[in-house]
Amino acid sequence: MEEADIERLKAIAKDIRKDILIMLNKATSGHTGGSLSVVEILVALFFSKMRHDPNNVHYRERDRFVLSKGHAAPALYAVLSRCGYFDRKELFELRKLGSHLQGHPDSKFTPGVEVPTGSLGQGLSMANGIALALRLDKIPSRVYVLLGDGEVQEGQVWEAAMTAAHYKIDNLCAILDNNGLQIDGWVKDVMNIEPLGKKWEAFGWEVLEIDGHDFNQILDALDKAEKIKGRPTIIIAHTIKGKGVSFFENQVKYHGIAPNDIELEKALKELDSN
Amino acid sequence: MEKASLREAYGRALLELGRRNENIVVLDADLSGSTKTKMFAKEFPNRFFNMGVAEQDMIGTAAGLAASGKIPFASTFAIFATGRAWEQIRQSVAYAGLNVKIVASHGGITVGDDGGSHQAIEDIALMRILPHMAVIVPADAIEMEQVIYTIAEYEGPVYVRGSRVNFPIIYNNGDYHFQLGKGSIIREGEDITIIATGLMVHHTLEAAKELENCGISARVINMSTIKPIDKELIIESAKITGAIVTAEEHLIIGGLGSAVCEVLSESYPVPVKRIGIEDRFGISGKPEALLAYFHLMPEDIIEAAKRLLDCKPYRLRAIA
């Protein structure tokens, strides 16, 4: 990856972060921390890795993306809007009555959203189904699914993990946003999920571990995953909850709280100064 | 009395559909021998997905397949399909509005010996309450086959409740055509209407014959589509007969009886008696013994009909 491309992605990520904060502030509710932790992953996918076309949303050969951790919807919406799926103005109607942007992603309302998510633990099963259908139809597209770390406490995730390995679903790549926090506290304190990599390996997956805020590492891992055949791949992305705004980082409080006006102003200033 | 297996009918229809349409895919949760999806699996192994004992993942995977244009049929026992995976059906199928067909076997107490843990007596209620979900309970194997062909053409989520036991044949004359959302009058009558579903349709016909001997003329309706329910037919029947009995192999809470009462209480209130399982779980026993134990036999319907006639505001006919 050229340095200029990385700089372009970094600039986009900064704008996305600003949009996320403004839309959450205007909505007065929503998930700040877990939206900020996935920004680089989403930007790498939608602005570099994935084949998709906002002007032809449902074209068959597109790569598919499933946001299994649906509460990061603001990040997805900001990215989709910037790609051109809908007007940026719509971002600021998030969560309002009549908005195209529901509190959690909903394919019935929002172009670019493949399936509705929000109830945790269900996205990997759906992504498996999409990947199996693509394989049956001999469509060479890939399926990306983004999981939360707290989310893998759901039993269905491990049912789906078995399925992906059993059916050798290699046109699918899961990415795990390992930001370490969930709504009640540190994941390790609430319900320990470690050893995470060994668990996925034991379930038959190829496991890659990266810094989830480093574009070079993300894109390398996504390329590597595409070459792995005969089994699914998971990229465990080590991230920081609330990434990019110092006073949101690693703060459990901001899992499900939107920035107020003062916090927003401070946060935007901080983002602009970096 | 000729009986036939709803499961076999499902398996046959699925196989035929598989031959006609390559977008038909089938999922099962380790019960493909029981649900008869094995027939499809044998001929189309690449379009059959055994998900193991993992109903939640089965439903989610089916949703993903549907989101990509496939027509998935997902099967297991009724209690596991609708109970274990209820929230997956809600979020990934119904909320998503995806074209997933959930066809369960082993509805009701006629599961028998396996006992209450395996007897789905709440499944109709669980599925009926979900927005966008169609709910169908065939009355015999012939109707089951037609239901399967019909829902394959229909765009949207559907729950079909089958049974472990063979049902007596109701529609052996070959001129029945199942229509989603339409009840069918299988016997005309003026004194009372008995609206039944599933196995209870046969018991109701038996009851109606006996009632005729007592001078009571009973209209019998097979309400195979519980949702969307045939409101017009329910109201028309209430107007003609002035009293309605419902009969189902399900809790009286939330099932056919509730659905009929919802229509009548708002549109044309008449006296109603619901035949079904009271507020309790099933138990082990042979299917026939359990049907008697839970008061789901023709004589129970006869008694309910007679009692209800006494509640009618005016008597249409003298009762012998």
Side-chain angles (χ1 to χ4, degrees):
Chain A
M1 181 67 47
E2 297 289 324
E3 193 52 37
D5 288 325
I6 297 294
E7 287 309 314
R8 176 183 70 97
L9 295 178
K10 279 183 179 170
I12 294 169
K14 184 191 270 195
D15 286 348
I16 295 293
R17 282 204 163 83
K18 287 199 260 183
D19 277 349
I20 290 170
L21 294 169
I22 298 167
M23 61 200 285
L24 281 167
N25 168 262
K26 285 197 188 298
T28 70
S29 71
H31 298 82
T32 304
S35 294
L36 293 175
S37 63
V38 300
V39 169
E40 280 79 13
I41 295 164
L42 291 185
V43 168
L45 283 168
F46 280 86
F47 290 91
S48 181
K49 184 64 191 171
M50 280 171 50
R51 290 166 295 181
H52 65 114
D53 182 0
N55 298 312
N56 187 7
V57 177
H58 296 293
Y59 90 100
R60 267 164 61 101
E61 284 74 23
R62 72 188 183 279
D63 290 332
R64 270 73 165 176
F65 176 75
V66 174
L67 184 66
S68 193
K69 51 166 289 186
H71 54 285
L76 178 62
Y77 295 153
V79 163
L80 288 174
S81 157
R82 194 175 163 110
C83 288
Y85 282 89
F86 48 84
D87 198 280
R88 182 166 174 269
K89 275 190 299 212
E90 295 217 30
L91 292 181
F92 311 116
E93 299 299 314
L94 171 70
R95 290 180 165 235
K96 291 183 182 149
L97 183 62
S99 170
H100 288 131
L101 305 185
Q102 297 292 296
H104 292 81
D106 191 334
S107 39
K108 302 191 294 291
F109 289 88
T110 314
V113 172
E114 297 282 351
V115 285
T117 50
S119 172
L120 292 173
Q122 302 193 28
L124 184 54
S125 297
M126 287 196 278
N128 282 341
I130 293 169
L132 287 169
L134 291 169
R135 189 160 83 187
L136 282 172
D137 289 339
K138 301 187 169 57
I139 299 171
S141 306
R142 290 183 62 73
V143 182
Y144 296 96
V145 52
L146 181 55
L147 301 159
D149 50 357
E151 181 179 19
V152 305
Q153 291 160 352
E154 289 279 8
Q156 188 187 347
V157 172
W158 300 101
E159 293 182 3
M162 267 187 270
T163 295
H166 180 83
Y167 285 104
K168 303 182 169 54
I169 304 179
D170 56 13
N171 54 343
L172 174 136
C173 175
I175 302 148
L176 198 150
D177 174 32
N178 195 26
N179 64 34
L181 278 166
Q182 60 186 117
I183 207 166
D184 263 358
W186 291 99
V187 174
K188 65 179 167 49
D189 298 330
V190 176
M191 180 52 66
N192 190 21
I193 58 173
E194 293 294 343
L196 205 45
K198 281 184 184 162
K199 281 197 176 89
W200 287 93
E201 262 169 35
F203 274 75
W205 288 59
E206 181 76 19
V207 178
L208 306 172
E209 298 213 27
I210 60 162
D211 173 346
H213 298 302
D214 182 319
F215 280 113
N216 275 313
Q217 289 191 36
I218 298 168
L219 291 165
D220 278 355
L222 291 171
D223 287 344
K224 219 179 270 174
E226 196 162 359
K227 293 189 187 87
I228 292 159
K229 298 296 167 201
R231 61 189 182 283
T233 300
I234 186 162
I235 300 169
I236 297 178
H238 298 289
T239 58
I240 293 166
K241 197 146 181 164
K243 172 73 177 178
V245 180
S246 57
F247 50 95
F248 291 155
E249 287 187 1
N250 290 322
Q251 298 299 311
V252 70
K253 182 183 152 192
Y254 290 99
H255 171 95
I257 288 183
N260 63 28
D261 293 348
I262 298 161
E263 289 165 335
L264 176 67
E265 201 189 324
K266 264 178 73 181
L268 293 178
K269 239 183 231 163
E270 187 181 323
L271 281 167
D272 275 332
S273 67
N274 288 330
Chain B
M1 179 182 48
E2 197 192 343
K3 288 188 177 184
S5 161
L6 274 68
R7 295 185 275 154
E8 297 277 356
Y10 171 50
R12 273 196 311 275
L14 209 47
L15 183 57
E16 180 54 31
L17 276 173
R19 289 169 180 161
R20 289 185 200 170
N21 184 348
E22 64 173 21
N23 278 327
I24 302 281
V25 295
V26 177
L27 303 92
D28 205 301
D30 193 37
L31 288 166
S32 63
S34 282
T35 63
K36 304 298 175 194
T37 59
K38 208 170 215 168
M39 296 161 74
F40 181 97
K42 238 176 126 182
E43 189 160 323
F44 303 106
N46 64 327
R47 284 194 266 147
F48 174 79
F49 302 100
N50 200 326
M51 306 306 291
V53 194
E55 295 78 12
Q56 302 174 10
D57 184 44
M58 173 174 77
I59 295 298
T61 307
L65 285 156
S68 306
K70 298 295 166 194
I71 306 170
F73 281 75
S75 292
T76 178
F77 289 1
I79 192 60
F80 310 132
T82 64
R84 172 63 71 99
W86 186 83
E87 207 254 341
Q88 282 73 18
I89 298 174
R90 179 188 183 274
Q91 167 76 27
S92 297
V93 176
Y95 184 70
L98 287 170
N99 193 23
V100 175
K101 319 300 176 189
I102 299 156
V103 183
S105 68
H106 292 59
I109 47 135
T110 47
V111 166
D113 301 5
D114 275 349
S117 61
H118 283 55
Q119 296 166 0
I121 54 171
E122 321 87 337
D123 55 322
I124 297 172
L126 286 171
M127 292 297 102
R128 193 170 78 85
I129 202 168
L130 290 172
H132 309 317
M133 181 66 80
V135 179
I136 304 169
V137 185
D140 71 2
I142 290 162
E143 186 171 40
M144 171 60 102
E145 199 165 336
Q146 292 196 19
V147 164
I148 298 307
Y149 290 125
T150 304
I151 63 172
E153 300 287 322
Y154 166 86
E155 177 79 27
V158 181
Y159 172 63
V160 180
R161 179 206 231 201
S163 177
R164 186 180 81 84
V165 296
N166 296 348
F167 284 7
I169 296 287
I170 308 278
Y171 296 111
N172 55 2
N173 53 7
D175 59 6
Y176 174 67
H177 295 290
F178 168 79
Q179 278 181 281
L180 185 68
K182 295 284 176 209
S184 71
I185 303 163
I186 46 180
R187 188 186 171 104
E188 272 300 359
E190 289 118 41
D191 297 329
I192 195 160
T193 302
I194 309 170
I195 303 176
T197 200
L199 178 61
M200 299 303 282
V201 174
H202 171 73
H203 287 193
T204 298
L205 278 174
E206 296 288 300
K209 281 180 211 158
E210 190 56 39
L211 284 166
E212 192 168 33
N213 294 336
C214 309
I216 298 168
S217 151
R219 185 182 227 209
V220 175
I221 289 171
N222 169 25
M223 195 61 85
S224 40
T225 308
I226 313 282
K227 189 186 173 192
I229 199 143
D230 191 342
K231 287 182 188 167
E232 289 73 25
L233 185 57
I234 294 170
I235 294 166
E236 177 200 284
S237 300
K239 284 178 179 169
I240 292 171
T241 66
I244 289 181
V245 173
T246 63
E248 61 197 306
E249 191 194 338
H250 183 273
L251 289 176
I252 56 169
I253 300 169
L256 170 70
S258 296
V260 168
C261 287
E262 285 161 18
V263 173
L264 290 174
S265 58
E266 284 188 346
S267 301
Y268 198 87
V270 295
V272 174
K273 174 65 185 174
R274 291 170 298 157
I275 304 263
I277 298 157
E278 304 285 334
D279 189 17
R280 59 164 300 181
F281 289 107
I283 50 172
S284 284
K286 294 296 172 203
E288 282 299 320
L290 287 171
L291 287 165
Y293 180 84
F294 284 106
H295 302 295
L296 300 173
M297 297 302 284
E299 52 266 34
D300 300 302
I301 299 169
I302 292 165
E303 196 193 322
K306 284 181 175 172
R307 282 194 184 192
L308 194 66
L309 282 176
D310 291 334
C311 302
K312 272 171 72 164
Y314 53 92
R315 309 287 288 270
L316 291 169
R317 284 170 65 168
I319 297 164

